[in-house]
Amino acid sequence: MVVTKGKKKHRFTKVKASYPVVVLTADGPVEGETQHITPQETFVRCRDPLRLYDIASLSIKVSKHESLLAEGEVVLSNRYGPDDEITPRGMTVRFINLSARDRLRLRTLIARHYQRKVRQIAGEA
């Protein structure tokens, strides 16, 4: 944790993870997948990202039997730029109004994902 100007600034590990996502909007569902995820936000790669500051509900399928439903605000959107590995088409969505229970579920999910990656790397060495 880093303290800056009297405010606490938390740093969270960004985990590269691909989970199917359905973004529920007034215009209908937008399908995509996460590219990375933290307890605070996720990048959703999709064909038709929402506009900056749009708010929508996300359903993130974290396993065969479990989904996480969250509300989020678009804080970065690549609607018109290139769509490649460096600048993929999609949007960064910051989670808002996430319950303490769901935030803990998200942290646990990320920790498990990170541990699996570490074990894979250790097994390769």
Side-chain angles (χ1 to χ4, degrees), residues 94-107:
R94 180 180 39 208
F95 300 120
I96 55 177
N97 301 325
L98 198 59
S99 70
R101 180 176 176 251
D102 283 340
R103 197 166 304 278
L104 179 61
R105 285 177 57 208
L106 192 53
R107 284 185 179 133

Side-chain angles (χ1 to χ4, degrees), residues 18-69:
S18 296
Y19 296 112
V21 176
V22 176
V23 181
L24 307 169
T25 72
D27 296 329
V30 174
E31 294 185 14
E33 72 176 19
T34 63
Q35 268 204 313
H36 66 260
I37 194 165
T38 75
Q40 304 302 318
E41 64 187 25
T42 186
F43 183 83
V44 178
R45 189 167 190 170
C46 57
R47 280 190 192 174
D48 192 21
L50 303 179
R51 289 181 169 81
L52 199 58
Y53 307 118
D54 279 355
I55 294 177
S57 295
L58 290 83
S59 177
I60 304 170
K61 187 150 180 96
V62 295
S63 73
K64 286 183 181 181
H65 309 290
E66 184 180 12
S67 291
L68 177 72
L69 187 60

